[in-house]
């Protein structure tokens, strides 16, 4: 009897000693691995910038949260990636908001923005865009990175100027995207849609007379082999977002959420600063390599920019977006 009592007492001591360790082990969370896709191929400057955000999170999130970049358009077509995030197939997406203008006309607020992403976050514009991304696309907006990069029109042959100093692109076949299709039409050019991987071949075969593209990455894609002229000034700006699956976000620990969010806010400014340096270096390099800049000045430049900005803000207004007035007040200060 005494022996059995002793055994029970010993067992109680052992279990009592082990219980805190068992509870700790049960409450500890394993490191979260988030799968991310990007709209562009890995070598492009834009994807490399996104990977800077990934590196920042992974450095700070060791043991808590990590992001695994699983690829770009070769994994999911670019225009299907946000839907993959909404359905929870992947956790994070990086790419242009303008790819989803048909579903989210509010994307034009970033395209037609004249301020930085950091300024938009401070003045309430970002909160409005969070609502648009959630309501229209079913995803959580994390960041607007790589802002402040303007678009340009590039041409194979030298574009002519009219007597008033404006550029004459009448009838020119310009590769476009939904972002600046309306602007090209306002210039009497002929917009031609084509996915990014097909543009090099299109230029090579004279399918296009030119193309619209941000000032960076022209040489990354080797398009400068054909595009020898750039029209200045640049117009609009990039609309690159990082979005996340709301269900995955909600499942994360507060610590993991804070790491992701703090890195997103910090990287908005960091990526802006980095690209200003890249823009200056790119501008110097393409001119050294033979690209000619066709500069519009004075009223001609103002009219050119009016057409660009009016095209996107009028498009959003025509969509009857309930956020139009607030977004224009927040993002357009020209």
């Amino acid at each position: 009897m005494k022996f059995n009592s002793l055994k029970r007492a010993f067992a109680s001591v052992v279990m009592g000693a082990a219980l805190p360790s068992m509870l700790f082990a049960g409450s500890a969370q394993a490191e979260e691995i988030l799968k991310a896709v990007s709209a562009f191929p890995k070598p492009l400057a834009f994807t490399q910038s996104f990977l800077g955000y990934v590196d920042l999170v992974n450095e700070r999130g060791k043991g808590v949260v990590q992001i695994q970049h699983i690829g770009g358009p070769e994994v999911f077509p670019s225009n299907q990636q946000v839907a993959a995030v909404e359905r929870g197939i992947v956790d994070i997406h990086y790419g242009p908001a303008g790819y989803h203008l048909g579903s989210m006309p509010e994307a034009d607020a970033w395209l037609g923005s004249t301020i930085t992403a950091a300024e938009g976050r401070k003045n309430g514009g970002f909160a409005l865009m969070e609502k648009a991304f959630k309501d229209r696309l079913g995803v959580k907006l994390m960041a607007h990175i790589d802002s402040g990069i303007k678009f340009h029109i590039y041409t194979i042959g030298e574009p002519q100027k009219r007597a008033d100093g404006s550029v004459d692109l009448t009838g020119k076949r310009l590769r476009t995207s939904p972002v600046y299709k309306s602007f090209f039409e306002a210039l009497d050019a002929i917009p031609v849609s084509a996915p990014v991987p097909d543009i090099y071949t299109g230029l090579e075969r004279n399918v296009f007379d030119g193309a619209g593209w941000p000032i960076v990455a022209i040489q990354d894609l080797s398009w400068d082999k054909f595009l020898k002229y750039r029209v200045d000034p640049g117009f609009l700006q990039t609309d690159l977002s990082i979005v996340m699956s709301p269900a995955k976000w909600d499942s994360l620990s507060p610590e993991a959420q804070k790491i992701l969010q703090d890195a997103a806010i910090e990287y908005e400014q960091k990526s802006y600063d980095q690209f200003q340096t890249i823009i200056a270096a790119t501008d110097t390099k393409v001119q050294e390599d033979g690209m000619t800049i066709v500069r519009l000045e004075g009223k001609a430049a103002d009219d050119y920019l009016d057409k660009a900005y009016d095209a996107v803000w009028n498009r959003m207004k025509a969509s009857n977006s309930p956020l139009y007035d607030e977004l224009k007040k927040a993002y357009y200060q020209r």
Side-chain angles (χ1 to χ4, degrees), residues 79-100:
N79 60 357
Q80 297 177 23
Q81 291 179 359
V82 165
V85 172
E86 181 189 17
R87 295 196 298 268
I89 299 171
V90 292
D91 303 313
I92 294 174
H93 159 75
Y94 163 77
Y99 279 8
H100 311 285

Side-chain angles (χ1 to χ4, degrees), residues 12-64:
S12 296
V13 171
V14 172
M15 287 299 295
L19 187 59
S21 296
M22 292 170 63
L23 289 173
F24 178 79
S27 63
Q29 290 188 331
E31 182 180 73
E32 288 280 357
I33 307 296
L34 307 177
K35 290 182 167 50
V37 292
S38 54
F40 306 117
K42 189 173 181 178
L44 257 66
F46 298 115
T47 306
Q48 289 299 308
S49 178
F50 171 60
L51 293 178
Y53 170 73
V54 172
D55 289 344
L56 186 60
V57 169
N58 291 348
E59 178 185 343
R60 297 177 178 177
K62 291 177 182 177
V64 181

Side-chain angles (χ1 to χ4, degrees), residues 65-78:
V65 62
Q66 299 283 283
I67 300 175
Q68 179 186 2
H69 180 245
I70 63 173
E74 75 281 2
V75 177
F76 286 100
S78 298

